[in-house]
Amino acid sequence: MTLNTENALYIAGKWQQGSSTIDNINPSDISHHLGHFAQASSQQVHQAIDAAQQAQPTWEKTPLEHKQKVLQAIGDELINRCDELGRLLSQEEGKPFAEGRGEVYRSGQFFQYFAAEVLRQMGDLADSVRPGVSVEVSREALGVVAIISPWNFPIATAAWKIAPALAFGNSVIWKPANLTPASAVALTEIIHRQGLPEGTFNLILGSGAQVGDTLIHSNEINGVSFTGSVDIGRKIATATSPNFVKCQLEMGSKNALVIADDADISLAVEATIAGSYSGAGQKCTASSRLVVLDKVHDKYVDALIQRMGQLKVGHALNKDIFMGPVVDDKQLQSNLAWIKRAHELGAECAFGGHQLTLEHEGYYMAPTLMLNTQNHWDMNQEEIFAPLASVIKVSSLDEAIATVNDTRFGLTAGIITQSLKSAALFKQQAQTGCVMVNLPTAGTDYHVPFGGRKQSSFGPREQGQYAKEFYSTIKTTYLRPY
Protein backbone atom coordinates (compact mmCIF):
# COMPACT_ATOMS: atom_id res chain seq x y z
CA MET A 1 0.00 0.00 0.00
CA THR A 2 1.09 3.60 -0.59
CA LEU A 3 0.74 5.84 2.44
CA ASN A 4 0.72 9.57 2.92
CA THR A 5 3.87 10.26 4.92
CA GLU A 6 5.06 13.87 4.82
CA ASN A 7 1.47 14.83 3.96
CA ALA A 8 0.13 12.80 6.88
CA LEU A 9 -1.99 15.16 8.96
CA TYR A 10 -5.74 14.94 8.45
CA ILE A 11 -7.65 18.08 9.41
CA ALA A 12 -11.17 19.08 8.38
CA GLY A 13 -11.35 16.33 5.76
CA LYS A 14 -8.07 17.27 4.06
CA TRP A 15 -4.52 15.92 4.19
CA GLN A 16 -1.86 18.43 5.23
CA GLN A 17 1.89 18.68 5.65
CA GLY A 18 3.30 19.42 9.09
CA SER A 19 5.87 21.82 10.44
CA SER A 20 8.50 19.03 10.44
CA THR A 21 8.85 15.26 9.98
CA ILE A 22 10.10 12.22 11.90
CA ASP A 23 11.68 9.03 10.61
CA ASN A 24 9.78 5.77 11.12
CA ILE A 25 12.23 2.90 11.72
CA ASN A 26 11.50 -0.82 11.59
CA PRO A 27 12.66 -2.25 14.97
CA SER A 28 13.21 -5.66 13.34
CA ASP A 29 15.67 -4.17 10.84
CA ILE A 30 16.83 -0.66 11.63
CA SER A 31 18.17 -0.22 8.09
CA HIS A 32 14.55 -0.34 6.88
CA HIS A 33 12.75 2.99 7.12
CA LEU A 34 9.00 3.18 6.55
CA GLY A 35 9.01 6.87 5.66
CA HIS A 36 9.14 10.37 7.08
CA PHE A 37 5.88 11.34 8.79
CA ALA A 38 4.53 14.83 9.36
CA GLN A 39 4.52 16.51 12.74
CA ALA A 40 1.83 19.06 13.54
CA SER A 41 2.34 22.57 14.83
CA SER A 42 0.29 24.02 17.69
CA GLN A 43 -1.56 26.11 15.13
CA GLN A 44 -2.62 22.96 13.28
CA VAL A 45 -3.88 21.44 16.53
CA HIS A 46 -6.09 24.49 17.02
CA GLN A 47 -7.31 24.12 13.42
CA ALA A 48 -8.33 20.56 14.18
CA ILE A 49 -10.14 21.63 17.34
CA ASP A 50 -12.05 24.30 15.43
CA ALA A 51 -12.94 21.85 12.67
CA ALA A 52 -14.13 19.27 15.17
CA GLN A 53 -16.31 21.83 16.96
CA GLN A 54 -17.96 22.88 13.72
CA ALA A 55 -18.56 19.33 12.51
CA GLN A 56 -19.81 17.72 15.71
CA PRO A 57 -23.43 18.97 15.68
CA THR A 58 -23.85 17.81 12.09
CA TRP A 59 -22.46 14.36 12.83
CA GLU A 60 -24.55 13.99 15.97
CA LYS A 61 -27.72 14.73 13.96
CA THR A 62 -26.75 12.35 11.15
CA PRO A 63 -29.38 9.57 10.83
CA LEU A 64 -28.59 6.45 12.81
CA GLU A 65 -28.58 4.11 9.84
CA HIS A 66 -25.96 6.22 8.08
CA LYS A 67 -23.73 6.22 11.16
CA GLN A 68 -24.18 2.48 11.43
CA LYS A 69 -23.16 1.97 7.80
CA VAL A 70 -20.07 4.16 8.22
CA LEU A 71 -18.76 2.23 11.23
CA GLN A 72 -19.65 -1.10 9.64
CA ALA A 73 -17.73 -0.18 6.48
CA ILE A 74 -14.65 0.81 8.49
CA GLY A 75 -14.77 -2.48 10.37
CA ASP A 76 -15.29 -4.50 7.21
CA GLU A 77 -12.33 -2.91 5.46
CA LEU A 78 -10.04 -3.49 8.42
CA ILE A 79 -10.98 -7.16 8.50
CA ASN A 80 -10.73 -7.59 4.73
CA ARG A 81 -7.26 -6.01 4.72
CA CYS A 82 -5.95 -7.54 7.94
CA ASP A 83 -3.07 -9.34 6.17
CA GLU A 84 -1.84 -6.18 4.45
CA LEU A 85 -2.31 -3.85 7.41
CA GLY A 86 -1.06 -6.45 9.88
CA ARG A 87 2.18 -6.62 7.93
CA LEU A 88 2.54 -2.84 8.10
CA LEU A 89 1.78 -2.80 11.82
CA SER A 90 4.32 -5.52 12.56
CA GLN A 91 7.00 -3.74 10.57
CA GLU A 92 6.74 -0.52 12.55
CA GLU A 93 5.88 -1.89 16.03
CA GLY A 94 7.81 -5.19 16.03
CA LYS A 95 5.16 -7.71 17.08
CA PRO A 96 5.04 -10.95 15.08
CA PHE A 97 2.89 -10.88 11.95
CA ALA A 98 0.31 -13.23 13.46
CA GLU A 99 -0.20 -10.78 16.30
CA GLY A 100 -0.23 -7.78 13.97
CA ARG A 101 -2.80 -9.42 11.73
CA GLY A 102 -4.86 -10.40 14.73
CA GLU A 103 -4.78 -6.85 16.07
CA VAL A 104 -6.10 -5.41 12.80
CA TYR A 105 -8.83 -8.05 12.64
CA ARG A 106 -9.88 -7.33 16.22
CA SER A 107 -9.87 -3.60 15.44
CA GLY A 108 -12.37 -4.27 12.68
CA GLN A 109 -14.54 -6.11 15.17
CA PHE A 110 -14.55 -3.06 17.45
CA PHE A 111 -15.98 -0.95 14.65
CA GLN A 112 -18.50 -3.63 13.73
CA TYR A 113 -19.61 -3.94 17.36
CA PHE A 114 -20.14 -0.21 17.76
CA ALA A 115 -21.87 -0.04 14.40
CA ALA A 116 -24.51 -2.26 16.01
CA GLU A 117 -24.49 -0.14 19.17
CA VAL A 118 -25.52 2.86 17.08
CA LEU A 119 -28.93 1.21 16.62
CA ARG A 120 -29.20 0.17 20.29
CA GLN A 121 -29.24 3.65 21.79
CA MET A 122 -32.34 3.51 23.98
CA GLY A 123 -33.60 5.90 26.63
CA ASP A 124 -35.70 5.36 29.75
CA LEU A 125 -39.20 6.55 30.67
CA ALA A 126 -40.56 7.02 34.16
CA ASP A 127 -43.50 8.60 35.93
CA SER A 128 -42.73 11.68 37.95
CA VAL A 129 -43.65 11.91 41.62
CA ARG A 130 -45.83 14.81 40.45
CA PRO A 131 -49.19 13.77 38.97
CA GLY A 132 -49.52 14.25 35.22
CA VAL A 133 -45.76 14.65 34.64
CA SER A 134 -43.64 12.12 32.75
CA VAL A 135 -39.86 11.77 32.79
CA GLU A 136 -37.56 10.85 29.89
CA VAL A 137 -33.87 10.00 30.38
CA SER A 138 -31.81 10.20 27.19
CA ARG A 139 -28.18 10.35 26.14
CA GLU A 140 -26.47 12.91 23.94
CA ALA A 141 -22.95 13.14 22.57
CA LEU A 142 -20.22 14.43 24.85
CA GLY A 143 -18.94 16.74 22.09
CA VAL A 144 -15.34 17.04 20.91
CA VAL A 145 -13.17 14.16 22.14
CA ALA A 146 -9.37 14.06 22.10
CA ILE A 147 -7.99 10.52 21.84
CA ILE A 148 -4.38 9.90 22.84
CA SER A 149 -3.31 6.33 22.10
CA PRO A 150 -0.11 4.29 22.69
CA TRP A 151 2.28 2.50 20.36
CA ASN A 152 1.94 -1.05 21.70
CA PHE A 153 -1.50 -1.61 20.14
CA PRO A 154 -1.42 1.21 17.59
CA ILE A 155 -4.66 0.30 15.80
CA ALA A 156 -6.61 -1.69 18.39
CA THR A 157 -6.42 0.78 21.27
CA ALA A 158 -7.31 3.61 18.92
CA ALA A 159 -10.18 1.59 17.47
CA TRP A 160 -11.79 0.86 20.82
CA LYS A 161 -11.78 4.62 21.49
CA ILE A 162 -12.61 6.02 18.04
CA ALA A 163 -15.45 3.60 17.30
CA PRO A 164 -17.59 4.42 20.37
CA ALA A 165 -16.75 8.12 20.09
CA LEU A 166 -18.22 8.20 16.57
CA ALA A 167 -21.06 5.82 17.42
CA PHE A 168 -22.36 8.17 20.10
CA GLY A 169 -22.16 11.28 17.91
CA ASN A 170 -18.86 12.86 18.92
CA SER A 171 -16.20 14.41 16.75
CA VAL A 172 -12.65 13.13 17.22
CA ILE A 173 -9.12 14.51 17.32
CA TRP A 174 -6.71 11.59 17.40
CA LYS A 175 -3.12 11.91 18.57
CA PRO A 176 -1.36 8.53 18.15
CA ALA A 177 2.08 7.66 19.44
CA ASN A 178 4.97 8.94 17.36
CA LEU A 179 6.55 5.46 17.23
CA THR A 180 3.71 4.07 15.06
CA PRO A 181 2.56 6.77 12.62
CA ALA A 182 2.09 4.46 9.62
CA SER A 183 -0.64 2.46 11.32
CA ALA A 184 -2.39 5.71 12.26
CA VAL A 185 -2.30 7.01 8.70
CA ALA A 186 -3.58 3.69 7.34
CA LEU A 187 -6.60 3.72 9.69
CA THR A 188 -7.25 7.38 8.92
CA GLU A 189 -7.30 6.69 5.17
CA ILE A 190 -9.98 4.05 5.74
CA ILE A 191 -12.06 6.47 7.81
CA HIS A 192 -11.54 9.23 5.24
CA ARG A 193 -13.13 7.10 2.52
CA GLN A 194 -16.42 6.99 4.43
CA GLY A 195 -17.22 10.63 3.67
CA LEU A 196 -17.79 11.88 7.20
CA PRO A 197 -18.68 15.58 7.59
CA GLU A 198 -15.38 17.47 7.30
CA GLY A 199 -13.86 17.86 10.73
CA THR A 200 -15.68 14.91 12.32
CA PHE A 201 -12.44 12.96 12.45
CA ASN A 202 -8.96 14.51 12.58
CA LEU A 203 -5.48 12.95 12.79
CA ILE A 204 -2.76 15.00 14.46
CA LEU A 205 0.71 13.42 14.55
CA GLY A 206 3.25 14.98 16.84
CA SER A 207 5.00 14.95 20.18
CA GLY A 208 3.29 15.10 23.53
CA ALA A 209 4.93 18.43 24.27
CA GLN A 210 3.71 19.99 21.03
CA VAL A 211 0.39 18.29 20.29
CA GLY A 212 -0.65 16.59 23.50
CA ASP A 213 -0.17 19.65 25.71
CA THR A 214 -2.20 21.82 23.35
CA LEU A 215 -5.06 19.34 23.41
CA ILE A 216 -5.21 18.72 27.14
CA HIS A 217 -5.06 22.41 28.05
CA SER A 218 -7.80 23.40 25.61
CA ASN A 219 -11.12 24.57 27.05
CA GLU A 220 -12.75 23.68 23.73
CA ILE A 221 -12.31 19.94 24.25
CA ASN A 222 -15.14 18.11 26.02
CA GLY A 223 -13.34 14.87 26.81
CA VAL A 224 -9.91 13.22 26.75
CA SER A 225 -9.47 9.45 26.44
CA PHE A 226 -5.87 8.41 27.11
CA THR A 227 -3.90 5.18 27.36
CA GLY A 228 -0.31 5.37 28.57
CA SER A 229 1.78 5.89 31.68
CA VAL A 230 0.67 7.01 35.13
CA ASP A 231 2.90 10.09 34.95
CA ILE A 232 1.28 11.32 31.75
CA GLY A 233 -2.18 10.36 33.00
CA ARG A 234 -1.62 12.45 36.12
CA LYS A 235 -0.46 15.33 33.94
CA ILE A 236 -3.63 15.08 31.84
CA ALA A 237 -5.86 15.01 34.92
CA THR A 238 -4.10 18.09 36.27
CA ALA A 239 -4.30 19.97 32.96
CA THR A 240 -7.95 19.20 32.24
CA SER A 241 -9.38 19.77 35.72
CA PRO A 242 -9.40 23.62 35.60
CA ASN A 243 -11.62 23.39 32.50
CA PHE A 244 -13.74 20.52 33.95
CA VAL A 245 -12.96 18.36 30.93
CA LYS A 246 -14.10 14.76 31.29
CA CYS A 247 -11.23 12.24 31.44
CA GLN A 248 -10.86 8.53 30.80
CA LEU A 249 -7.36 7.38 31.74
CA GLU A 250 -5.94 3.87 31.29
CA MET A 251 -2.48 3.83 32.80
CA GLY A 252 0.13 1.49 34.23
CA SER A 253 -0.01 -2.02 35.58
CA LYS A 254 2.01 -4.65 37.40
CA ASN A 255 -0.08 -7.73 36.82
CA ALA A 256 0.40 -10.96 38.71
CA LEU A 257 -0.30 -14.57 37.78
CA VAL A 258 -0.70 -16.93 40.74
CA ILE A 259 0.36 -20.56 40.32
CA ALA A 260 -1.62 -22.40 43.00
CA ASP A 261 -0.35 -25.59 44.61
CA ASP A 262 -2.94 -27.64 42.69
CA ALA A 263 -2.22 -26.00 39.34
CA ASP A 264 -1.98 -27.95 36.11
CA ILE A 265 1.68 -27.20 35.42
CA SER A 266 1.37 -27.52 31.65
CA LEU A 267 -1.52 -25.05 31.64
CA ALA A 268 0.38 -22.74 33.99
CA VAL A 269 3.39 -22.69 31.70
CA GLU A 270 1.41 -21.94 28.57
CA ALA A 271 -0.53 -19.18 30.37
CA THR A 272 2.78 -17.69 31.47
CA ILE A 273 4.29 -17.82 27.99
CA ALA A 274 1.26 -16.09 26.48
CA GLY A 275 0.81 -13.62 29.29
CA SER A 276 4.42 -12.67 29.97
CA TYR A 277 6.20 -12.93 26.63
CA SER A 278 3.78 -12.47 23.73
CA GLY A 279 4.22 -9.04 22.18
CA ALA A 280 7.65 -8.95 23.88
CA GLY A 281 5.83 -8.27 27.14
CA GLN A 282 4.84 -4.83 25.88
CA LYS A 283 1.25 -5.04 27.06
CA CYS A 284 -0.55 -3.30 29.89
CA THR A 285 -2.06 -6.71 30.70
CA ALA A 286 1.23 -8.66 30.69
CA SER A 287 1.90 -10.86 33.72
CA SER A 288 5.26 -9.56 34.92
CA ARG A 289 4.92 -11.03 38.46
CA LEU A 290 4.66 -14.81 38.81
CA VAL A 291 3.44 -15.57 42.30
CA VAL A 292 4.15 -19.25 42.86
CA LEU A 293 3.20 -21.52 45.76
CA ASP A 294 6.31 -23.18 47.19
CA LYS A 295 4.83 -26.68 46.81
CA VAL A 296 4.96 -26.44 42.98
CA HIS A 297 7.71 -23.81 42.62
CA ASP A 298 10.54 -26.03 41.39
CA LYS A 299 8.37 -28.13 39.09
CA TYR A 300 6.80 -25.04 37.53
CA VAL A 301 10.09 -23.17 37.11
CA ASP A 302 11.80 -26.17 35.51
CA ALA A 303 8.92 -26.66 33.06
CA LEU A 304 8.80 -22.93 32.27
CA ILE A 305 12.53 -22.73 31.56
CA GLN A 306 12.30 -25.75 29.27
CA ARG A 307 9.42 -24.12 27.37
CA MET A 308 11.21 -20.76 27.12
CA GLY A 309 14.10 -22.53 25.46
CA GLN A 310 11.76 -23.39 22.59
CA LEU A 311 10.76 -19.77 21.90
CA LYS A 312 12.25 -18.27 18.77
CA VAL A 313 13.04 -14.56 18.56
CA GLY A 314 13.44 -12.86 15.21
CA HIS A 315 12.20 -10.49 12.53
CA ALA A 316 8.51 -9.70 12.97
CA LEU A 317 7.66 -10.98 9.49
CA ASN A 318 9.41 -14.33 9.99
CA LYS A 319 6.52 -16.77 10.30
CA ASP A 320 8.49 -19.13 12.56
CA ILE A 321 9.07 -16.70 15.44
CA PHE A 322 7.23 -16.36 18.73
CA MET A 323 8.62 -12.97 19.71
CA GLY A 324 9.89 -10.00 17.74
CA PRO A 325 12.08 -7.11 18.89
CA VAL A 326 11.14 -4.50 21.47
CA VAL A 327 9.92 -1.25 19.99
CA ASP A 328 13.09 0.89 20.00
CA ASP A 329 16.57 1.29 21.45
CA LYS A 330 15.34 3.39 24.38
CA GLN A 331 13.03 0.55 25.45
CA LEU A 332 15.78 -2.04 24.96
CA GLN A 333 18.28 -0.14 27.10
CA SER A 334 15.67 0.39 29.80
CA ASN A 335 14.90 -3.34 29.85
CA LEU A 336 18.56 -4.27 30.16
CA ALA A 337 19.01 -1.74 32.97
CA TRP A 338 16.15 -3.35 34.92
CA ILE A 339 17.80 -6.76 34.54
CA LYS A 340 21.07 -5.35 35.85
CA ARG A 341 19.19 -3.81 38.76
CA ALA A 342 17.58 -7.19 39.56
CA HIS A 343 21.03 -8.82 39.70
CA GLU A 344 22.21 -6.12 42.10
CA LEU A 345 19.27 -6.85 44.38
CA GLY A 346 20.15 -10.55 44.46
CA ALA A 347 17.84 -12.05 41.86
CA GLU A 348 18.93 -15.07 39.81
CA CYS A 349 18.51 -14.92 36.05
CA ALA A 350 17.19 -18.36 35.18
CA PHE A 351 16.76 -17.65 31.48
CA GLY A 352 17.66 -14.88 29.03
CA GLY A 353 18.69 -11.51 30.40
CA HIS A 354 20.68 -10.31 27.41
CA GLN A 355 20.50 -8.57 24.05
CA LEU A 356 20.47 -10.76 20.96
CA THR A 357 22.49 -10.36 17.77
CA LEU A 358 20.52 -11.81 14.87
CA GLU A 359 20.54 -11.78 11.07
CA HIS A 360 18.94 -8.33 10.93
CA GLU A 361 20.19 -5.55 13.16
CA GLY A 362 17.29 -4.71 15.46
CA TYR A 363 16.22 -4.22 19.05
CA TYR A 364 16.21 -7.88 20.04
CA MET A 365 16.48 -9.36 23.51
CA ALA A 366 15.93 -12.81 24.94
CA PRO A 367 12.78 -13.54 26.94
CA THR A 368 13.91 -13.31 30.53
CA LEU A 369 12.97 -15.04 33.79
CA MET A 370 14.22 -13.87 37.18
CA LEU A 371 14.06 -16.03 40.32
CA ASN A 372 14.36 -15.31 44.05
CA THR A 373 12.76 -11.89 43.83
CA GLN A 374 10.84 -9.98 46.49
CA ASN A 375 7.55 -8.24 45.85
CA HIS A 376 8.69 -4.96 47.43
CA TRP A 377 11.62 -4.59 45.01
CA ASP A 378 11.18 -1.77 42.52
CA MET A 379 11.32 -4.23 39.61
CA ASN A 380 8.14 -5.81 41.01
CA GLN A 381 6.44 -2.49 41.70
CA GLU A 382 7.13 -0.48 38.54
CA GLU A 383 5.79 -1.18 35.05
CA ILE A 384 8.71 -2.26 32.87
CA PHE A 385 7.07 -3.17 29.53
CA ALA A 386 9.57 -5.90 28.72
CA PRO A 387 9.72 -9.66 28.01
CA LEU A 388 10.74 -9.98 31.65
CA ALA A 389 8.90 -11.88 34.36
CA SER A 390 9.97 -12.40 37.96
CA VAL A 391 9.06 -15.27 40.26
CA ILE A 392 7.91 -14.53 43.80
CA LYS A 393 7.68 -17.62 46.01
CA VAL A 394 4.90 -17.72 48.64
CA SER A 395 3.71 -20.35 51.11
CA SER A 396 -0.09 -20.04 50.97
CA LEU A 397 -2.97 -18.82 48.86
CA ASP A 398 -3.65 -16.05 51.37
CA GLU A 399 -0.07 -14.86 51.03
CA ALA A 400 -0.36 -15.09 47.25
CA ILE A 401 -3.46 -12.89 47.20
CA ALA A 402 -1.86 -10.39 49.56
CA THR A 403 1.16 -10.27 47.24
CA VAL A 404 -1.05 -9.74 44.18
CA ASN A 405 -2.70 -6.76 45.88
CA ASP A 406 0.51 -5.27 47.26
CA THR A 407 0.98 -2.76 44.43
CA ARG A 408 -0.29 0.69 43.48
CA PHE A 409 -1.75 -0.83 40.31
CA GLY A 410 -4.85 -2.94 39.75
CA LEU A 411 -5.54 -3.78 36.12
CA THR A 412 -5.49 -7.58 35.75
CA ALA A 413 -4.62 -10.61 37.87
CA GLY A 414 -4.82 -14.32 37.20
CA ILE A 415 -4.75 -17.65 38.96
CA ILE A 416 -4.06 -21.17 37.71
CA THR A 417 -5.93 -23.63 39.92
CA GLN A 418 -8.15 -26.70 39.78
CA SER A 419 -10.06 -25.61 42.89
CA LEU A 420 -13.37 -23.82 42.43
CA LYS A 421 -13.08 -22.60 46.03
CA SER A 422 -9.65 -21.06 45.39
CA ALA A 423 -10.84 -19.47 42.16
CA ALA A 424 -13.88 -17.97 43.88
CA LEU A 425 -11.77 -16.60 46.74
CA PHE A 426 -9.27 -15.12 44.31
CA LYS A 427 -11.99 -13.48 42.22
CA GLN A 428 -13.49 -11.97 45.35
CA GLN A 429 -10.29 -10.65 46.88
CA ALA A 430 -8.13 -9.61 43.89
CA GLN A 431 -8.06 -5.80 43.80
CA THR A 432 -8.09 -5.56 40.01
CA GLY A 433 -10.55 -4.58 37.32
CA CYS A 434 -10.07 -7.85 35.41
CA VAL A 435 -9.58 -11.34 36.85
CA MET A 436 -8.48 -14.36 34.84
CA VAL A 437 -8.94 -17.96 36.00
CA ASN A 438 -6.86 -20.59 34.16
CA LEU A 439 -6.12 -18.05 31.43
CA PRO A 440 -3.27 -15.66 30.60
CA THR A 441 -3.64 -12.20 32.10
CA ALA A 442 -3.24 -10.77 28.60
CA GLY A 443 -6.25 -11.01 26.30
CA THR A 444 -9.66 -9.39 26.76
CA ASP A 445 -12.93 -9.39 24.82
CA TYR A 446 -14.28 -6.33 23.03
CA HIS A 447 -17.92 -6.54 24.15
CA VAL A 448 -17.34 -6.32 27.91
CA PRO A 449 -15.88 -3.55 30.10
CA PHE A 450 -12.12 -3.11 30.38
CA GLY A 451 -10.28 -1.13 33.03
CA GLY A 452 -8.59 -1.32 36.38
CA ARG A 453 -8.43 0.01 39.90
CA LYS A 454 -6.01 2.12 41.94
CA GLN A 455 -3.52 3.91 39.67
CA SER A 456 -4.25 1.70 36.66
CA SER A 457 -7.42 3.53 35.62
CA PHE A 458 -9.37 6.71 36.21
CA GLY A 459 -12.83 7.48 34.92
CA PRO A 460 -15.45 5.31 33.18
CA ARG A 461 -14.61 1.88 31.77
CA GLU A 462 -13.77 1.27 28.12
CA GLN A 463 -15.36 -1.15 25.64
CA GLY A 464 -18.74 -2.79 25.36
CA GLN A 465 -21.91 -0.99 26.38
CA TYR A 466 -20.01 0.61 29.26
CA ALA A 467 -18.23 2.87 26.75
CA LYS A 468 -21.33 5.07 26.58
CA GLU A 469 -20.65 6.23 30.14
CA PHE A 470 -17.70 8.24 28.85
CA TYR A 471 -18.70 9.14 25.30
CA SER A 472 -22.19 10.40 26.08
CA THR A 473 -23.88 12.61 28.64
CA ILE A 474 -27.29 12.15 30.24
CA LYS A 475 -30.25 14.47 29.85
CA THR A 476 -33.37 14.20 32.02
CA THR A 477 -36.53 15.74 30.55
CA TYR A 478 -39.73 16.44 32.53
CA LEU A 479 -42.91 16.75 30.45
CA ARG A 480 -46.42 17.88 31.34
CA PRO A 481 -48.80 17.72 28.38
CA TYR A 482 -50.24 21.10 27.52
Side-chain angles (χ1 to χ4, degrees):
M1 64 182 297
T2 302
L3 288 173
N4 285 300
T5 54
E6 295 183 10
N7 195 39
L9 308 178
Y10 186 71
I11 303 171
K14 308 255 183 333
W15 293 98
Q16 294 187 17
Q17 292 185 345
S19 58
S20 61
T21 62
I22 57 168
D23 198 7
N24 189 12
I25 298 172
N26 182 345
S28 292
D29 180 358
I30 61 175
S31 68
H32 177 208
H33 293 205
L34 284 84
H36 293 83
F37 286 80
Q39 299 282 278
S41 65
S42 294
Q43 181 182 2
Q44 288 174 310
V45 179
H46 287 296
Q47 289 175 5
I49 294 172
D50 290 343
Q53 281 189 310
Q54 294 175 28
Q56 191 274 322
T58 300
W59 175 245
E60 183 173 10
K61 293 179 177 63
T62 297
L64 292 182
E65 285 189 341
H66 182 72
K67 289 180 187 171
Q68 186 272 333
K69 289 177 181 177
V70 166
L71 268 68
Q72 183 71 37
I74 296 169
D76 290 348
E77 184 167 348
L78 284 167
I79 288 174
N80 291 336
R81 296 175 60 195
C82 64
D83 284 343
E84 170 197 359
L85 297 178
R87 181 182 179 89
L88 174 68
L89 191 160
S90 293
Q91 284 180 304
E92 72 169 353
E93 195 272 347
K95 64 183 59 175
F97 171 68
E99 293 184 31
R101 181 189 185 279
E103 177 176 339
V104 176
Y105 193 98
R106 175 54 60 91
S107 300
Q109 291 177 313
F110 278 115
F111 277 97
Q112 291 178 335
Y113 175 85
F114 283 105
E117 283 298 298
V118 169
L119 302 178
R120 283 196 284 259
Q121 297 182 47
M122 305 293 184
D124 296 308
L125 296 176
D127 290 330
S128 171
V129 296
R130 291 166 286 182
V133 176
S134 62
V135 181
E136 175 187 308
V137 180
S138 57
R139 288 186 177 272
E140 297 179 351
L142 184 61
V144 177
V145 176
I147 291 173
I148 303 175
S149 61
W151 53 262
N152 62 326
F153 287 94
I155 295 183
T157 305
W160 78 50
K161 297 175 185 288
I162 295 168
L166 294 177
F168 294 111
N170 301 281
S171 56
V172 171
I173 302 166
W174 177 27
K175 184 223 166 303
N178 252 354
L179 282 171
T180 50
S183 295
V185 171
L187 177 55
T188 299
E189 289 183 336
I190 292 173
I191 295 173
H192 166 69
R193 283 194 283 278
Q194 306 313 314
L196 297 169
E198 294 181 355
T200 303
F201 179 84
N202 305 271
L203 171 67
I204 302 293
L205 297 170
S207 67
Q210 186 78 359
V211 172
D213 279 4
T214 304
L215 286 173
I216 65 177
H217 286 94
S218 173
N219 60 7
E220 298 174 315
I221 296 288
N222 302 107
V224 177
S225 181
F226 164 80
T227 298
S229 71
V230 173
D231 289 344
I232 300 301
R234 185 177 288 112
K235 181 178 180 180
I236 291 171
T238 301
T240 54
S241 60
N243 295 320
F244 300 104
V245 172
K246 194 174 182 181
C247 279
Q248 180 185 64
L249 309 175
E250 290 298 332
M251 298 171 286
S253 63
K254 198 65 186 176
N255 312 297
L257 179 67
V258 173
I259 313 301
D261 55 14
D262 65 344
D264 179 318
I265 296 302
S266 177
L267 178 63
V269 167
E270 292 308 314
T272 304
I273 295 297
S276 300
Y277 301 111
S278 64
Q282 298 174 140
K283 299 180 179 182
C284 61
T285 54
S287 39
S288 54
R289 293 184 296 152
L290 306 174
V291 182
V292 186
L293 273 290
D294 52 10
K295 179 180 176 181
V296 295
H297 176 275
D298 293 351
K299 183 178 181 182
Y300 164 75
V301 168
D302 289 345
L304 179 57
I305 292 171
Q306 182 179 9
R307 182 71 177 89
M308 291 178 69
Q310 299 170 358
L311 304 181
K312 184 175 180 180
V313 180
H315 193 292
L317 298 185
N318 183 337
K319 65 180 181 179
D320 297 325
I321 68 159
F322 172 81
M323 196 178 89
V326 299
V327 72
D328 66 0
D329 186 60
K330 180 180 178 181
Q331 185 67 53
L332 175 62
Q333 298 309 319
S334 174
N335 296 349
L336 297 174
W338 276 110
I339 294 169
K340 180 180 178 182
R341 171 66 174 156
H343 280 297
E344 293 170 350
L345 290 171
E348 173 192 347
C349 185
F351 192 91
H354 57 277
Q355 186 175 353
L356 296 174
T357 301
L358 302 178
E359 177 184 0
H360 301 280
E361 185 179 359
Y363 308 121
Y364 298 104
M365 66 174 288
T368 301
L369 181 68
M370 308 300 294
L371 304 182
N372 305 323
T373 76
Q374 301 296 315
N375 193 61
H376 67 272
W377 292 357
D378 52 1
M379 68 171 293
N380 285 326
Q381 292 294 318
E382 300 298 326
E383 185 173 51
I384 297 177
F385 242 48
L388 166 62
S390 57
V391 173
I392 303 167
K393 186 191 293 188
V394 295
S395 59
S396 68
L397 181 60
D398 287 343
E399 185 184 358
I401 294 173
T403 301
V404 168
N405 293 335
D406 185 14
T407 169
R408 63 189 173 116
F409 299 117
L411 183 56
T412 70
I415 185 169
I416 309 298
T417 180
Q418 298 182 60
S419 166
L420 184 59
K421 179 180 178 180
S422 296
L425 182 68
F426 185 81
K427 184 193 76 158
Q428 181 185 55
Q429 296 189 1
Q431 297 170 0
T432 56
C434 302
V435 171
M436 311 295 187
V437 178
N438 294 322
L439 290 163
T441 58
T444 56
D445 291 349
Y446 56 84
H447 66 302
V448 293
F450 175 79
R453 296 165 61 172
K454 304 180 186 179
Q455 293 186 26
S456 285
S457 300
F458 178 82
R461 289 288 193 260
E462 297 194 281
Q463 303 185 25
Q465 293 188 359
Y466 288 78
K468 66 185 176 186
E469 299 301 331
F470 178 73
Y471 292 103
S472 66
T473 186
I474 293 174
K475 176 177 283 183
T476 305
T477 301
Y478 295 83
L479 176 64
R480 171 179 286 158
Y482 182 76

